[in-house]
Amino acid sequence: MSSRREALQRQIEEAFADVPYPGDDHIIDDPNDWEAAELLACFKGKHWKELGYEDLFQNSLSFVGIDAYAFYLPAYLLGALDDYKDLISVVFGLCPTWSEEDAEHLQWQLRRYDRLNNRQRAAVRSFLEYMREEMSQYFGMFTRFEDALARYWSREAASDGGGAP
């Protein structure tokens, strides 16, 4: 394992170390969505460090609720470092489409990202930069990286309120 990758793993773990468990009732936003309900059944009562690769692969981060996003995001980031091809949705989920056709979805994504504090945003930025540079054969032509990094991940939070409540 490269020293850069090890440093990135440490950065992710440290940035998200103090995020509290959101509580069983705050893991998902829509209990009527069957995919969100499956994620809840799998994640309920578990720390993000307890989730295995299959748990992450079978349960998309997009179904994690806004109150639990900062808590479970590091599991997905670290999982994508281990196997970015199977967890490609993690990378794409951090690189929104900046178009008017997707304005509602963009606002939903930004609300989730805005819950992260500056250390957590820096870890996500480092993750995306690593993916762009180290996995260039896979992501090299992916212009959404540049848009996401320039428009969102490279800026500081307006206030560092500590991330998710």
Side-chain angles (χ1 to χ4, degrees), residues 48-102:
W48 65 265
K49 292 179 181 181
E50 297 175 61
L51 298 173
Y53 179 79
E54 286 299 316
D55 297 328
L56 303 174
F57 178 69
Q58 294 177 2
N59 296 283
S60 172
L61 179 61
S62 63
F63 294 104
V64 171
I66 193 167
D67 291 336
Y69 185 75
F71 183 76
Y72 288 110
L73 179 59
Y76 284 92
L77 296 174
L78 295 172
L81 284 178
D82 288 338
D83 192 337
Y84 64 90
K85 291 179 183 171
D86 281 344
L87 291 174
I88 190 75
S89 63
V90 175
V91 177
F92 286 108
L94 296 169
C95 299
T97 302
W98 302 87
S99 69
E100 289 192 29
E101 295 87 41
D102 294 325

Side-chain angles (χ1 to χ4, degrees), residues 6 9-10 12 15-16 23 28 30-31 33 47-48 52 73 87 109 111 127 129 134 138 145 159 164:
E6 289 173 351
Q9 286 178 315
R10 278 192 307 277
I12 292 168
F16 292 90
I28 62 172
D30 185 0
D33 182 295
H47 192 278
W48 65 265
L73 179 59
L87 291 174
Q109 286 178 295
R111 280 192 303 276
F127 169 82
E129 289 169 346
E134 299 294 325
Y138 196 71
F145 268 113
S159 66

